[in-house]
Amino acid sequence: AQKITQTQPGMFVQEKEAVTLDCTYDTSDPSYGLFWYKQPSSGEMIFLIYQGSYDQQNATEGRYSLNFQKARKSANLVISASQLGDSAMYFCAMREGLGNYQLIWGAGTKLIIKP
Amino acid sequence: SQTIHQWPATLVQPVGSPLSLECTVEGTSNPNLYWYRQAAGRGLQLLFYSVGIGQISSEVPQNLSASRPQDRQFILSSKKLLLSDSGFYLCAWTPRLAGVRNEQFFGPGTRLTVL
C-alpha cells in the first residue's frame, strides 16, 4: 500500500486564487512528521513546511499553511494568493518514528498558475 | 550557513561507460547524506544513505554504488551505465541527530542522460 498518496497529478489555478494540494498518508507509528517540498523547473527541491504528529496547531509559513487532519490522515498544503512563481511540482513526504533517517515521498502534483 | 554542492550539473554518457557524481556539504559536521534518483515527471527514489564515513546503506538493488570517503563528501558511481540509469540525481543532507523533523536539504542536482 502507498504510504504517501497525492491524488492530483496536475492542477491549473488562476493567479491570486488560493490552492489546496492534497496529501494522504498511512502509518501506524504515533510519531511521524510530514513535509512539503517545491520543485521548480530548475530541479532544486525547496523545503516549504513541516507538521509533526504531536503538533497541536496547523503549521504555517508565510503564504503556506498545512491543513492537518490527523483522524483522516491527511496533510493538505494550502497556498494563499497564488503567484506565477508558484508554478512547480509539489511533493509531500513523511518520516516515521524517531531515529529514522528516511523520508517516504509521494508522486507529486504539478501546479500551474495561470495569469 | 550550510551549503550543498553537486557536480556536474549535466552529463551525457554512452551506455557501458563509468559514472562518478560528487556531492559535498559545507558548514556542518557529521551530516547524514542521501542519494536520490528522479525519473522524468516522477517522485524521488532513495538510492543510498550514509550516517558516517564508510557507512553506506543501499535501498534498492541496482547498477550503482555509493561511497563516503570523507565526512562531507558523498560519491555515486557506476562501472557500466545502463539506459535505465538516466534521470535526475539529487543529493541531500540532514543533521546527524534524526529526530522526527530534520528536513532534508537538497543540492542542485545532476541531470544524467545515458545514450
Side-chain angles (χ1 to χ4, degrees), chain B residues 82-104:
Chain B
L82 306 172
L83 287 174
S84 57
D85 292 324
S86 293
F88 190 55
Y89 288 83
L90 286 157
C91 181
W93 75 275
T94 58
R96 171 53 55 86
L97 296 177
V100 176
R101 184 163 177 160
N102 279 344
E103 62 267 28
Q104 294 185 4

Side-chain angles (χ1 to χ4, degrees), chain B residues 8-20:
Chain B
T10 60
L11 192 59
V12 180
Q13 291 285 97
V15 169
S17 63
L19 173 73
S20 181

